[in-house]
Amino acid sequence: MPEGRPAIPAELRRAVLLEAGHRCAVPTCRAHPVDIEHIDDWAKVKEHKFGNLIALCPNCHRRKGNGPDQIDRKSLRQYKAKLAVLNSRYGELEQRLIKAIAGPLRASDIRQGPVKVPNVMLPHGSGLSIWNLIQDGYLVQTPRSSTDTPPMVESYQFTQAGAEFLMRWADAQPLDPPPHLAP
């Protein structure tokens, strides 16, 4: 820490770490351990504020800058905003579904046509835990087929809007609030 720079208060550090799940805030990275980094440099702002702090792994922290192959401040602000949308809107199960489905989508080469997202099987009664994904039009329950679906399991499918949301998440693009929540 540079001389004369106060340490980031423990509660503020904790809030930034909780926001990112104690992992790198860059969605395509998510490594750990992490450093707490100022989006706008400390030397410029001379303060520790939640909105200007982000959790980055050492590798992504070193890549912060404006040159080629570096992570610029605009991108860091988008990553921070994406965390805010996810954390303020979606619960733990919803976020785990997003990450579990979007990761393989990003790894595959499916961008040459309509996005095909696999059905998600969840225990009966999980609808309340994924309520916001359903309300936002990203996930729908599929009809139960007596031969395909085991008892006490419900099947859900991401809609086209949901698939596009997953692709934006997987590609580290900005996530806007769902249209019915937009200001």
Side-chain angles (χ1 to χ4, degrees):
M1 185 170 6
E3 191 175 318
R5 176 175 153 181
I8 298 171
E11 285 301 312
L12 184 53
R13 282 186 61 79
R14 183 176 293 111
V16 173
L17 290 170
L18 284 171
E19 173 188 52
H22 289 260
R23 292 186 170 278
C24 184
V26 177
T28 54
C29 177
R30 303 300 290 154
H32 61 85
V34 294
D35 301 322
I36 305 299
E37 171 63 15
H38 289 81
I39 296 171
D40 290 317
D41 294 331
W42 163 261
K44 178 182 174 187
V45 297
K46 302 275 191 214
E47 63 184 354
H48 302 306
K49 293 224 174 185
F50 180 79
N52 189 45
L53 297 172
I54 192 166
L56 297 175
C57 71
N59 187 47
C60 289
H61 190 170
R62 281 190 302 275
R63 292 180 53 216
K64 179 185 168 195
N66 293 319
D69 297 324
Q70 289 188 303
I71 304 171
D72 63 11
R73 285 174 178 73
K74 182 177 180 180
S75 296
L76 291 174
R77 284 189 195 93
Q78 286 178 343
Y79 296 144
K80 177 91 173 168
K82 180 188 258 192
L83 287 171
V85 169
L86 284 177
N87 291 339
S88 66
R89 181 72 182 150
Y90 302 111
E92 182 182 352
L93 179 59
E94 291 169 311
Q95 289 186 42
R96 288 170 59 198
L97 275 176
I98 292 166
K99 292 171 189 173
I101 302 297
L105 286 179
R106 181 176 180 272
S108 69
D109 192 19
I110 60 170
R111 290 170 173 79
Q112 276 93 26
V115 177
K116 301 249 191 269
V117 181
N119 279 11
V120 177
M121 306 297 267
L122 296 173
H124 180 72
S126 296
L128 286 176
S129 297
I130 55 172
W131 183 253
N132 287 324
L133 284 173
I134 294 169
Q135 288 299 111
D136 294 347
Y138 295 155
L139 198 64
V140 293
Q141 187 171 4
T142 56
R144 179 174 163 70
S145 168
S146 59
T147 58
D148 295 343
T149 308
M152 302 305 291
V153 173
E154 296 171 344
S155 177
Y156 293 88
Q157 177 69 47
F158 279 91
T159 63
Q160 185 59 40
E164 291 167 6
F165 172 83
L166 290 172
M167 293 306 296
R168 285 193 309 275
W169 189 93
D171 288 338
Q173 297 298 315
L175 294 179
D176 297 320
H180 65 94
L181 297 176

